[in-house]
Amino acid sequence: MAVMDNITNVFEGKVVRKDLTKEIKGNAVVPSYVLEYLLGQYCASFDEDVIKEGVEKVKKIIREHFVSRDEAEVIKSTVREKGQHKIIDKVAARLNEKQDIYEASFANLGIKKVPVGNPIIKNNRKLLTSGVWCIINLGYEASDGNDSPWFIDSLKPIQISQIDLDEYKEARKQFNTNDWLDLLMQSIGLNPEQFNFRSKLIQLSRLIPFCENNYNLIELGPKGTGKSHIYSELSPHGILISGSEVTQAKLFVNNSTGQIGLVGFWDTVAFDEFGGSGKSGEKGLVDIMKNYMANKSFSRGTHVYNAQASMVFVGNTEHSLPFMMRKSNLFDSLPKQFYDSAFLDRVHGYLPGWEVKKLRHEMFTNGYGFIVDYLAEVLRGLRKYDYTNLAKNYFELSDSLTTRDRDAIVKTFSGLVKIIYPNQDFSEEEARELFDFSIEVRRRVKQQLIKMDDTFEEVDFSYINLKSEKEQKIHTLEEITYNQNIQSQSESTENKEPDEVQLKREAKPLPDYKQVTIYENQTGISYKNLFLPYLKGATEINIVDPYIRYPYQIRNLMEFCSLLAEIKEAGEEIKINLVTYFNEEYKESAENAFADIKDSLEPLGIFLDYKFDDSPHDRHIHLNNGWKINLGRGLDIYQRVDSKYDISDIYQEKRQCKSCDITFIKEA
């Protein structure tokens, strides 16, 4: 509640309850920023009576002025009868060369060739592209000639008039990093409680093209994860187009008319449905895009035009992640003409869409967030600033990195700082989190290029921390996860004598000290591949874990016990002593569960004793074979599984993990 109060006090009039957008939108095909623009006019309050009254006003505006295609004729009739009527529609304009006038078309109303005055075009150049959502005072005046009876009395694009960036940066100081991340997540419509830090970072990285000039981003992954949503709903300064609709004329310049294309008018141009290896496109387009993505310019004849539009490519993958890691690469679903190493080398970052969970009802927020139009204007204002040099205060990149690698890394870092620390107030550790992620998303691009093209050489994606003078190497999460799995799979499936190999592997002595780092969202981790070598020979196991109280935590204990039952020798007995935290609220249910587990284990020769303690803080497993395992999170290393019908509910290696360290120590 304190965080919500802080949001409402610091950003009064600039935030709105996000469930109101869903309530009002219904089946209307209209971007969220249009609705939240109206909500910001009437519902930017925390008084329930004011909100209720405002919602009714907005609903009335939508009902009477928003043009839906199935009621277009009714709206036309209303305009004709009244002479003039205010409507909300998407308007595009083009030049009629024969008559030397601009003419507008209305997407939902379905009328075309409506004369538009030069001043309106001059003040709203985006009308000459794919269209802009506007509030229009549309008039009708019958004519006996060939002239259109429709006319535009006034036109106002739906966007906030102005923002104070200094005020925004100053207000950021009122929030710690976690609360600010949650506010941003709620602003894009998501419930922050459903996302860990890394998952939040992936979601918010989709905003980088809106605040960083000429930033090129790609995200490929499974269907249903909301990859394209943010580019159509968030900002009036971004446009989402189908990847199959891309042409040189539409994107850059029409050589016949001289009309500048989308990159000349929009901050972000996003290509939807970009994946699909069977798709084809306009010949020669990729070469023009390569030049623009590298040099921030394009040409028509002898004229060279500069532009600042960022480019985003979103699409679906055609294969599973393990398949792509082993047998192809992470770009294998791209259309043939874009499967070009020189083109892809211009991409600054590759977001791992396979880590993003499919959107479910509980993942959307009902809390307060920025009116998206306000956030869109803030991000646009931040495009004027350059934060790429900030990383140099903390880190020195490896000399082996190419100029493109370096530029990509610092541009991603700059964008993330603008989003999360717009006032540039962050610690070294906070800078490291963003820097590591920035390197990772560029490394993901480069590693695929090395697979695709022999002319690309391995480079060292590492840096020196200037304070500690220590080197840090960065790998992608899928490298950490699947390269290990691939190795173990090949050893077990390709060797003709797996039993002999297994015996040799077991005979190899374990190091006296080993630390395993598990990364957020990592998969491929099971109790078996973590603990098996250290459990051998133990007949008494002491587990200290304060947090075994919720059903899923108790299940973790059961799965650990199941592993013991699987590996113990016939006739052998094992004793387990469990110490967990005393909590009155959960004591009875936990005792009942432990009693059931105890009864089920005894026939297997495994005997469980448990006790509650109100002071345990350590988390470890102590074994009488000489090993101690320090557990950063106890047995609770897995993220919640969303459905009991999800295969990861019974298959540990498919579960996403929480970040933690596990240390194995051989005691004297």
Side-chain angles (χ1 to χ4, degrees), residues 148-193:
S148 170
W150 306 100
F151 65 91
I152 297 174
D153 181 67
S154 64
L155 179 147
K156 183 180 185 299
I158 292 179
Q159 60 189 72
I160 200 166
S161 57
Q162 65 179 67
I163 50 100
D164 187 334
L165 266 182
D166 291 333
E167 177 186 73
Y168 177 83
K169 293 178 181 179
E170 188 66 25
R172 168 64 178 89
K173 297 178 182 179
Q174 305 299 315
F175 299 84
N176 62 39
T177 299
N178 288 334
D179 290 344
W180 184 255
L181 286 171
D182 289 353
L183 173 57
L184 291 172
M185 289 294 287
Q186 290 179 176
S187 297
I188 61 176
L190 298 174
N191 179 1
E193 294 179 0

Side-chain angles (χ1 to χ4, degrees), residues 265-318:
F265 296 97
W266 299 89
D267 291 347
T268 299
V269 179
F271 304 85
D272 195 12
E273 300 172 354
F274 192 68
S277 55
K279 294 180 179 179
S280 59
E282 184 180 3
K283 187 177 180 180
L285 175 62
V286 173
D287 291 333
I288 300 175
M289 292 179 72
K290 280 192 286 193
N291 180 68
Y292 173 74
M293 292 165 69
N295 303 316
K296 309 170 189 176
S297 64
F298 58 95
S299 59
R300 174 180 177 261
T302 59
H303 296 284
V304 177
Y305 300 91
N306 294 315
Q308 297 178 331
S310 297
M311 288 191 170
V312 181
F313 309 94
V314 293
N316 299 324
T317 48
E318 296 179 343

Side-chain angles (χ1 to χ4, degrees), residues 277-496:
S277 55
K279 294 180 179 179
S280 59
E282 184 180 3
K283 187 177 180 180
L285 175 62
V286 173
D287 291 333
I288 300 175
M289 292 179 72
K290 280 192 286 193
N291 180 68
Y292 173 74
M293 292 165 69
N295 303 316
K296 309 170 189 176
S297 64
F298 58 95
S299 59
R300 174 180 177 261
T302 59
H303 296 284
V304 177
Y305 300 91
N306 294 315
Q308 297 178 331
S310 297
M311 288 191 170
V312 181
F313 309 94
V314 293
N316 299 324
T317 48
E318 296 179 343
H319 297 106
S320 67
L321 182 58
F323 179 95
M324 292 187 289
M325 292 293 291
R326 292 190 67 183
K327 298 187 177 182
S328 59
N329 61 74
L330 301 179
F331 287 130
D332 72 353
S333 64
L334 294 186
K336 184 177 180 180
Q337 72 271 26
F338 291 104
Y339 192 79
D340 180 312
S341 59
F343 167 76
L344 294 170
D345 194 26
R346 271 81 166 166
V347 174
H348 297 117
Y350 186 153
L351 294 182
W354 47 86
E355 286 188 42
V356 182
K357 295 181 179 179
K358 292 190 176 183
L359 296 175
R360 307 179 312 277
H361 174 74
E362 63 269 22
M363 297 174 75
F364 295 99
T365 184
N366 292 329
Y368 281 89
F370 289 125
I371 297 170
V372 288
D373 198 29
Y374 172 73
L375 179 60
E377 294 304 319
V378 166
L379 295 174
R380 189 177 205 219
L382 288 169
R383 292 173 76 90
K384 301 174 184 176
Y385 295 84
D386 182 4
Y387 290 178
T388 55
N389 289 321
L390 293 180
K392 294 179 181 178
N393 298 328
Y394 303 94
F395 316 109
E396 182 180 330
L397 286 165
S398 166
D399 291 336
S400 72
L401 292 172
T402 67
T403 299
R404 282 203 178 124
D405 293 331
R406 291 171 174 272
D407 289 346
I409 291 166
V410 297
K411 280 183 75 67
T412 302
F413 180 79
S414 172
L416 289 173
V417 170
K418 290 177 183 180
I419 294 164
I420 303 174
Y421 306 105
N423 57 353
Q424 304 178 53
D425 183 10
F426 50 84
S427 67
E428 177 194 334
E429 175 61 21
E430 289 169 332
R432 184 196 60 77
E433 290 174 335
L434 303 191
F435 200 62
D436 286 0
F437 186 82
S438 301
I439 296 175
E440 181 189 341
V441 296
R442 174 56 187 179
R443 178 180 172 88
R444 185 170 290 111
V445 174
K446 195 62 173 280
Q447 292 304 106
Q448 312 321 306
L449 298 179
I450 293 170
K451 287 184 177 182
M452 294 166 56
D453 189 336
D454 292 340
T455 63
F456 282 87
E457 298 179 350
E458 286 276 0
V459 293
D460 181 15
F461 279 87
S462 68
Y463 63 88
I464 300 294
N465 184 307
L466 297 180
K467 183 177 180 180
S468 67
E469 298 184 348
K470 292 183 178 179
E471 182 183 46
Q472 178 67 47
K473 292 184 179 293
I474 300 299
H475 297 275
T476 67
L477 187 57
E478 60 272 12
E479 285 181 293
I480 295 169
T481 300
Y482 286 98
N483 282 353
Q484 294 173 352
N485 290 348
I486 292 164
Q487 182 181 6
S488 64
Q489 288 171 9
S490 65
E491 288 175 352
S492 63
T493 58
E494 294 176 11
N495 197 301
K496 295 181 180 180

Side-chain angles (χ1 to χ4, degrees), residues 495-663:
N495 197 301
K496 295 181 180 180
E497 299 178 317
D499 294 337
E500 183 179 340
V501 172
Q502 181 68 22
L503 289 171
K504 289 180 179 179
R505 188 182 298 118
E506 290 176 357
K508 185 178 180 180
L510 296 168
D512 290 348
Y513 179 90
K514 179 182 178 182
Q515 180 168 305
V516 174
T517 297
I518 299 177
Y519 298 90
E520 211 160 33
N521 292 359
Q522 184 174 346
T523 57
I525 301 294
S526 69
Y527 288 164
K528 189 171 186 176
N529 61 33
L530 277 176
F531 302 131
L532 177 60
Y534 304 92
L535 298 176
K536 293 295 181 75
T539 57
E540 185 168 351
I541 300 172
N542 299 309
I543 303 173
V544 178
D545 188 339
Y547 299 105
I548 301 183
R549 61 177 76 156
Y550 297 124
Y552 74 91
Q553 294 170 333
I554 294 172
R555 178 166 180 168
N556 289 337
L557 175 64
M558 291 177 62
E559 291 178 342
F560 181 81
C561 293
S562 176
L563 173 61
L564 293 176
E566 180 184 344
I567 66 172
K568 70 183 283 295
E569 298 289 342
E572 185 181 56
E573 291 185 341
I574 297 177
K575 184 178 182 181
I576 303 173
N577 302 306
L578 170 67
V579 180
T580 190
Y581 183 72
F582 174 81
N583 184 292
E584 188 64 43
E585 181 180 357
Y586 299 98
K587 183 174 184 292
E588 183 178 355
S589 61
E591 280 185 323
N592 292 335
F594 293 155
D596 289 345
I597 296 172
K598 180 176 182 177
D599 290 344
S600 69
L601 289 175
E602 285 185 2
L604 302 176
I606 300 175
F607 302 94
L608 171 67
D609 282 331
Y610 59 90
K611 70 175 183 177
F612 297 96
D613 193 328
D614 59 4
S615 62
H617 297 290
D618 197 11
R619 302 176 188 182
H620 66 256
I621 300 173
H622 209 152
L623 304 105
N624 68 344
N625 62 2
W627 285 100
K628 182 179 181 181
I629 306 172
N630 289 330
L631 306 168
R633 286 186 175 273
L635 293 173
D636 188 14
I637 65 173
Y638 298 112
Q639 297 179 30
R640 188 183 70 180
V641 177
D642 298 319
S643 169
K644 63 182 179 180
Y645 302 113
D646 188 325
I647 191 65
S648 60
D649 188 50
I650 58 173
Y651 189 3
Q652 286 186 336
E653 293 189 8
K654 293 304 177 185
R655 296 178 198 167
Q656 289 187 324
C657 292
K658 302 174 182 178
S659 62
C660 62
D661 288 323
I662 298 177
T663 307

